[in-house]
Amino acid sequence: MEKVIINVGRQVGCGGREIAQLLAKEFKARLLDKELLDLAAQESGFSAKLFKQHDEHRGFFNHLFHFRGTVTSGPFYEDKLSPEALFKFQSDAIRKAASESSCVFIGRSADYVLRDMENVVNVFITADMEDRIECVSKVKMCDSETARKLIERKEEERAAYYNYYTGKKWGDSKSYDLCVNSSLLGIENTARLISGFVREVISKKEVNCD
């Protein structure tokens, strides 16, 4: 199979990262999640701390001046440090990585950024709320109510970021090629299902091109 790009959107606590890891291993692809923030920092020359502090947030520049000492000042600072500029830096890093090798991207509106690239498959992973609460409770070592609030806050931020920059709706089935509930099959079987779907989609595209 030629180069393949898989963009994984995910609900909090659904096992999205674990599934993405399995997909990356299956397709011998580069896994890019928070690593994208370091790449964006390298490409832009700005502080990686700036990108990480406001990852997948919309309106994060309300806090920009907390980082003024870590970024460039003067005219370049005034012209380039806007929410759109940081999104562009991150988008440039996504496109560069996708042009170099097979990749599995986790979040960060990669499906929108790579909308014109060939051999791209966009998936969204959900899970039952009870399972997600249990997962977050274990990871964060908190009670169920706190876990629910964490999920709701984080997903509100992800949705606002995605909707703002893409003009689409985060989690809406129309925005993706496949939506799957990991609670039904579990992590490994969900990854296997997605893998089979990706192979079928890419194979069909290759046949049509011939």
Side-chain angles (χ1 to χ4, degrees), residues 186-205:
I187 299 300
E188 291 186 1
N189 286 332
T190 298
R192 191 173 295 115
L193 172 70
I194 295 172
S195 173
F197 178 81
V198 170
R199 290 186 183 280
E200 286 294 325
V201 170
I202 299 301
S203 296
K204 184 176 180 180
K205 288 182 179 180

Side-chain angles (χ1 to χ4, degrees), residues 51 89 161-162 183 197:
F51 287 91
F89 289 138
Y161 180 92
Y162 182 89
S183 292
F197 178 81

Side-chain angles (χ1 to χ4, degrees), residues 135-151:
C135 176
V136 173
S137 294
K138 289 180 179 179
V139 172
K140 298 295 185 180
M141 294 183 289
C142 61
D143 59 43
S144 297
E145 185 58 30
T146 300
R148 180 185 290 274
K149 291 179 179 178
L150 287 171
I151 290 171

Side-chain angles (χ1 to χ4, degrees), residues 9-109:
R10 75 288 186 217
Q11 288 185 315
V12 176
C14 71
R17 181 171 178 82
E18 293 88 341
I19 292 169
Q21 288 173 330
L22 291 172
L23 291 172
K25 182 178 180 180
E26 171 72 17
F27 290 97
K28 297 180 174 59
R30 185 180 183 184
L31 179 66
L32 290 164
D33 184 4
K34 293 187 182 298
E35 297 85 353
L36 275 172
L37 307 179
D38 291 324
L39 291 178
Q42 292 171 16
E43 291 296 312
S44 66
F46 291 120
S47 168
K49 185 177 182 181
L50 180 63
F51 287 91
K52 293 177 181 179
Q53 180 69 22
H54 303 292
D55 184 26
E56 288 191 312
H57 286 62
R58 181 199 169 200
F60 46 72
F61 267 70
N62 291 332
H63 307 285
L64 175 62
F65 291 105
H66 294 177
F67 299 90
R68 186 160 189 163
T70 67
V71 296
T72 305
S73 60
F76 187 73
Y77 171 88
E78 297 293 339
D79 293 340
K80 298 297 183 181
L81 282 182
S82 66
E84 287 72 22
L86 281 191
F87 181 76
K88 182 182 183 303
F89 289 138
Q90 183 170 275
S91 298
D92 289 344
I94 290 172
R95 281 188 286 266
K96 181 177 180 181
S99 70
E100 294 173 345
S101 66
S102 292
C103 293
V104 177
F105 294 100
I106 302 178
R108 291 164 189 86
S109 304

Side-chain angles (χ1 to χ4, degrees), residues 117-137:
M117 181 170 284
E118 295 182 353
N119 288 0
V120 173
V121 179
N122 303 315
V123 303
F124 190 84
I125 303 170
T126 70
D128 295 343
M129 178 58 85
E130 293 77 10
D131 293 336
R132 296 194 287 134
I133 288 174
E134 181 179 355
C135 176
V136 173
S137 294

